[in-house]
Amino acid sequence: MSNANDVDVHSAQAVHTRFHDVEQAIAEECTAVGRNRDDVTLIVVTKFQPVSVNIALTEVGQWVFGESRHQDAVRKVREPALAHANWHFIGQLQSNKARQVAAYAAALHSVDRPSLVTALANRDREVALPCFVEINLTDDPRRGGVQPTELKRLVDLMLQTPGIKLVGVMGVPAIDEPAEYGFERLLEYRESVLGLAPSATQISAGMSHDWKIALRFGATHLRIGTAITGPRPSLP
Ligand SMILES: *Cc1c(COP(=O)(O)O)cnc(C)c1O
């Protein structure tokens, strides 16, 4: 699978260039929609990328990373050069991995069911783990996120659970319709979350192809991967 092209596209210089381009575009887009750049967190999704990509990003001041699989994340978390990084966990999380992930995660974006909340309860942690409730924005119940009909029950449980702090909502629009539809729904569901948890104001939304739209819909946390990292290697 490795050829000269793969090396090139993930070189530190290539990563730096794409990072600066996207960062500049985010700043411009914030200005265009009247948002403060400081109110938007850029999470660079480095899932399945070599650790060299993370290190290249720290060289341009980017220390906030998104990872989606524990086995893949943990070897990067242990890398001494990344000891000061912030790891946002954005992928489907098995309950039996929950505590291990919570030990290094700065935030968890994919809380989607009661059993996961229960697995996270009463952890030995001084500061509660910031958590987003992930909501399924599609008609396909197999897609990630809690079904909207189950949202209230899950939020109630999160609010009663010590050791975690509900900070907002997360969602990924369906691929077969305009992203606007999904983000619109996310904002509607957010209203009901805010009714139960007024401080859960954050919105984790927007990926490489739709982050500009997400910003218009109020995203506070952009999860941008390939636009910055280059293409993802195929899964191990
Ligand atoms: C992979 C992933 C991203 C980043 O996707 P890109 O298209 O590479 O920007 C964002 N959010 C989630 C939940 C992901 O799984």
Side-chain angles (χ1 to χ4, degrees):
M1 268 296 293
S2 71
N3 58 44
N5 250 349
D6 286 344
V7 175
D8 216 19
V9 84
H10 292 120
S11 73
Q13 203 191 351
V15 171
H16 293 173
T17 301
R18 284 189 300 264
F19 172 79
H20 287 306
D21 287 351
V22 172
E23 180 52 57
Q24 190 184 339
I26 293 172
E28 285 170 7
E29 207 59 30
C30 282
T31 306
V33 299
R35 302 278 308 278
N36 188 338
R37 173 67 188 89
D38 293 339
D39 296 338
V40 178
T41 300
L42 168 61
I43 300 164
V44 179
V45 177
T46 52
K47 63 185 182 193
F48 313 127
Q49 299 286 358
V51 73
S52 58
V53 168
N54 297 72
I55 292 173
L57 285 161
T58 65
E59 291 163 3
V60 286
Q62 177 68 31
W63 291 88
V64 183
F65 301 121
E67 288 287 334
S68 67
R69 197 196 274 178
H70 171 62
Q71 296 94 309
D72 183 43
V74 74
R75 67 190 169 85
K76 297 179 196 172
V77 169
R78 293 190 184 126
E79 164 64 43
L82 300 173
H84 299 293
N86 262 311
W87 302 99
H88 287 241
F89 198 88
I90 63 170
Q92 270 250 323
L93 180 53
Q94 292 168 264
S95 297
N96 63 1
K97 300 268 165 54
R99 280 170 181 261
Q100 292 169 66
V101 168
Y104 59 78
L108 179 54
H109 291 241
S110 46
V111 176
D112 58 358
R113 62 194 190 281
S115 60
L116 179 57
V117 176
T118 308
L120 289 164
N122 292 318
R123 286 167 319 99
D124 182 20
R125 185 177 161 126
E126 275 173 37
V127 181
L129 176 67
C131 289
F132 294 80
V133 60
E134 180 180 357
I135 306 166
N136 188 346
L137 305 178
T138 77
D139 294 331
D140 182 352
R142 291 163 303 180
R143 290 286 302 271
V146 66
Q147 288 297 109
T149 49
E150 299 295 313
L151 178 60
K152 182 182 184 310
R153 201 166 69 93
L154 183 58
V155 166
D156 280 336
L157 180 64
M158 290 175 79
L159 294 174
Q160 289 161 24
T161 302
I164 67 172
K165 181 178 195 289
L166 176 62
V167 296
V169 294
M170 185 276 223
V172 178
I175 36 185
D176 56 0
E177 63 179 23
E180 282 87 345
Y181 294 13
F183 293 139
E184 189 96 47
R185 256 170 246 145
L186 185 59
L187 287 188
E188 283 166 25
Y189 303 140
R190 176 176 181 260
E191 284 308 310
S192 53
V193 172
L194 283 174
L196 302 162
S199 65
T201 54
Q202 299 181 3
I203 303 173
S204 171
M207 304 165 50
S208 288
H209 65 282
D210 61 9
W211 67 262
K212 287 186 184 175
I213 304 167
L215 259 192
R216 293 211 308 269
F217 282 83
T220 61
H221 290 66
L222 305 176
R223 308 178 312 269
I224 301 182
T226 49
I228 293 175
T229 61
R232 264 186 290 281
S234 38
L235 299 195

